[in-house]
Amino acid sequence: MTYPAATGGPRPAPEAAPASAEERSAVIDLEAIRHNVRRIAAVASPAQVMAVVKADAYGHGAVPVARAALSAGAGWLGVAHISEALTLRAAGIEAPLLAWLHTPESDFAAAVAAGIDIGCSGWELPRIVAAARALERPARVHLKADTGLGRNGATRDAWDGLVGEAMDYQDQGLLRVVGIFSHLAVADEPERPETDAQLEAFREILAVARDAGVDPQVRHLANTPATLSRPDTHFDLVRVGLGLYGLSPFEGQSSEELGLRPAMTVRTVVSHCKDVPAGQGVSYGLNYRTDAASTLGLIPLGYADGVPRIATGGPVRVEGVNYPVVGRIAMDQMVIDLGPLHVSAGGHTVLGAEAVLFGSGADGGPTAEDWARAAGTNNYEIVTRISPRVPRRYINEEPTASGAAHTSAGLRP
Ligand SMILES: *Cc1c(COP(=O)(O)O)cnc(C)c1O
């Protein structure tokens, strides 16, 4: 029996086709990031700025955002996981870099080897020291106190012991206590008294550390809301996430009022536009029906792209008008009711027109806060959950001579 001659062996698997950033994208304005860093640095001065780029820079892209933030004057970077810090180091970023959320599975040796600063609440200390010993390289440690948030950090009762142990190891050359820090619980509600209590507790744990001979390079407590509203929490360094992305942490205060510029615009193009009769049901469950003959626009973004399924009513801007999403948000798509455009009679169609979910908010455009309201969540979650299916597109990657932003072609102002 004969077989046909082989014609070249197995074929290589085809490359995955790249998603088109024209079809849908999260456009990240790096000049907005730089502007926000400069604004925050001015508010925080003389304290330094740590740009918090955890969770892929709240969905904006950790490496490009870290580079932009450093170029605009941030002196430090912060992330939650050691693995996130290693990604930044692998991209060639050498700046001081702190990771603060660990498990017994975390790779402390990799962190020490990469010169990553390690937040330490207590249980991590022997593991950090073991890594330092094995590598014959002192670890850089920031001791964390729980001053009231009830998450990470050493309790007041455990603090003296942690400080004493860390100083013993420092004397042995196994680590250096670079920082002392804590995290605030209610700084986004400036009228609440608990921030004062946390500040007082922080001053107390600093005094204990000082009395034990600790001389940290940086003491840090403030997040974005505290940086903007409580100068007495700045100490040597502020850890800013949300503000870096141009978003407001305060209920009744906009980005613009804080001098910040939202950096992310989520946009796509209308993928279908058609006339329907009165009483047309829309999307799963038929929870919405047109009350008159109308025209529907199909928006090709859904919960797989990070649009919260619960956020029916969230705004989509098409040709200068904000339309609420009607009916259920599905995995890939959602619908807006445009009113009668008479497309079938040769009227105006919006097929292919740009559809903006949120962006800078300029000229009445929709914002991440609008979507947060529709979803019953905060703006942090809206930007952070935009999924990898939405390509990130970067504009204004290099500072312009004037420092002013320009807008690339393809993105409507
Ligand atoms: C996420 C985080 C921050 C940044 O908080 P924002 O409110 O986004 O500025 C600061 N510190 C710690 C410990 C964090 O986990």
Side-chain angles (χ1 to χ4, degrees):
M1 189 171 169
T2 58
Y3 294 91
T7 54
R11 291 192 203 174
E15 293 275 308
S20 163
E22 301 304 323
E23 283 202 301
R24 61 184 67 73
S25 45
V27 181
I28 311 300
D29 182 351
L30 293 174
E31 176 54 29
I33 300 279
R34 292 190 296 269
H35 163 86
N36 296 329
V37 170
R38 291 190 294 264
R39 163 97 186 116
I40 290 157
V43 170
S45 175
Q48 285 191 283
V49 175
M50 173 186 284
V52 177
V53 294
K54 63 188 178 188
D56 204 26
Y58 294 32
H60 294 66
V63 169
V65 167
R67 290 212 175 99
L70 293 168
S71 80
W76 288 74
L77 298 171
V79 293
H81 306 166
I82 287 172
S83 55
E84 295 178 299
L86 291 169
T87 300
L88 294 168
R89 284 285 187 257
I93 293 170
E94 304 285 342
L97 168 54
L98 173 64
W100 53 70
L101 182 63
H102 319 298
T103 73
E105 304 297 327
S106 297
D107 193 344
F108 295 108
V112 172
I116 293 163
D117 291 24
I118 305 171
C120 174
S121 299
W123 67 265
E124 306 95 331
L125 195 58
R127 294 163 194 258
I128 294 167
V129 164
R133 227 181 232 125
L135 290 160
E136 296 181 8
R137 175 174 177 164
R140 293 170 52 91
V141 170
H142 297 232
L143 298 178
K144 185 166 195 183
D146 181 359
T147 54
L149 180 60
R151 299 193 325 199
N152 243 333
T155 61
R156 181 66 191 84
D157 283 350
W159 182 251
D160 301 42
L162 175 60
V163 167
E165 247 182 284
M167 286 308 280
D168 285 347
Y169 289 129
Q170 178 165 307
D171 291 344
Q172 295 170 48
L174 288 164
L175 60 79
R176 160 134 170 70
V177 179
V178 175
I180 294 181
F181 75 122
S182 187
H183 195 34
L184 295 169
V186 297
D188 57 319
E189 301 172 78
E191 67 290 348
R192 286 182 64 165
E194 291 96 330
T195 300
D196 288 325
Q198 283 200 263
L199 182 56
E200 196 182 310
F202 190 60
R203 291 216 166 93
E204 190 181 321
I205 64 101
L206 287 176
V208 170
R210 190 190 53 228
D211 292 348
V214 184
D215 180 22
Q217 184 188 337
V218 284
R219 302 159 298 164
H220 46 111
L221 177 64
N223 52 4
T224 295
T227 299
L228 296 173
S229 69
R230 294 289 301 249
D232 52 349
T233 63
H234 290 179
F235 294 91
D236 306 308
L237 178 66
V238 297
R239 301 186 307 268
V240 173
L242 195 73
L244 185 62
Y245 309 107
L247 301 178
S248 169
F250 302 117
E251 197 58 44
Q253 227 178 343
S254 67
S255 298
E256 193 177 3
E257 286 164 334
L258 296 169
L260 300 172
R261 306 217 305 244
M264 180 190 288
T265 297
V266 171
R267 39 73 60 203
T268 180
V269 292
V270 178
S271 65
H272 199 81
C273 179
K274 68 180 178 194
D275 295 338
V276 295
Q280 172 71 54
V282 173
S283 194
Y284 298 128
L286 303 175
N287 294 341
Y288 177 81
R289 284 182 190 277
T290 52
D291 52 17
S294 193
T295 302
L296 300 179
L298 187 62
I299 307 300
L301 287 170
Y303 59 79
D305 303 292
V307 181
R309 183 174 175 273
I310 196 176
T312 294
V316 178
R317 189 173 187 83
V318 176
E319 297 189 336
V321 179
N322 298 348
Y323 297 96
V325 169
V326 297
R328 267 191 208 151
I329 293 171
M331 186 182 292
D332 310 307
Q333 48 195 303
M334 56 195 185
V335 175
I336 55 176
D337 186 344
L338 296 151
L341 296 182
H342 306 297
V343 179
S344 48
H348 176 74
T349 177
V350 296
L351 176 66
E354 182 162 70
V356 177
L357 272 67
F358 60 85
S360 72
D363 303 323
T367 61
E369 287 73 30
D370 294 330
W371 279 92
R373 216 167 294 120
T377 183
N378 60 10
N379 47 9
Y380 292 75
E381 189 179 351
I382 295 298
V383 292
T384 303
R385 66 185 291 148
I386 297 301
S387 84
R389 194 166 76 167
V390 181
R392 271 56 174 174
R393 183 154 71 88
Y394 294 92
I395 61 171
N396 297 318
E397 296 197 66
E398 299 298 332
T400 54
S402 64
H406 60 82
T407 303
S408 331
L411 178 71
R412 294 183 189 192

